[in-house]
Amino acid sequence: MNINEIANKYEEWKRGFHKHSYLQLTDNIELFVDNCVAINKYDENIIELALINNNLSVTGHDLKIGNFSTTGVIIRGKIDSMKFISR
């Protein structure tokens, strides 16, 4: 088994292990979302994320994605609201 196959198996295992997404909101200026699957929509007023079990819509002003990695995403700006959207 080569390194790519091992990495793919590990990513599959991680997806099966995580059953929930976790959110941490700091005031209304920063949101950390753990276990974000994808970014569906991104502009300065709305960011829509695909989470493990549903989607999350974040609205506000001057929204920016500060980090997107295998561990999660950080949204910074003035956050006005968050809404969960069923898939």
Side-chain angles (χ1 to χ4, degrees):
M1 188 178 288
N2 68 32
I3 191 71
N4 289 332
E5 291 171 332
I6 293 170
N8 288 336
K9 291 285 185 188
Y10 176 70
E11 290 302 320
E12 279 181 37
W13 174 80
K14 278 194 334 185
R15 281 190 295 274
F17 180 73
H18 298 291
K19 302 293 182 197
H20 302 283
S21 294
Y22 301 93
L23 293 93
Q24 179 181 339
L25 180 64
T26 304
D27 294 327
N28 68 331
I29 58 170
E30 184 176 79
L31 175 65
F32 174 74
V33 182
D34 192 24
N35 297 325
C36 175
V37 177
I39 299 170
N40 293 340
K41 183 176 182 177
Y42 177 32
D43 68 38
E44 65 182 20
N45 297 317
I46 186 166
I47 296 175
E48 188 174 300
L49 306 174
L51 306 180
I52 291 174
N53 295 316
N54 48 32
N55 291 341
L56 175 67
S57 177
V58 179
T59 59
H61 299 82
D62 300 320
L63 298 178
K64 296 175 182 66
I65 293 180
N67 185 37
F68 182 61
S69 67
T70 57
T71 57
V73 63
I74 297 173
I75 298 173
R76 292 186 178 99
K78 184 178 181 296
I79 298 169
D80 292 331
S81 69
M82 297 185 303
K83 179 180 177 182
F84 289 97
I85 304 165
S86 298
R87 283 192 247 176

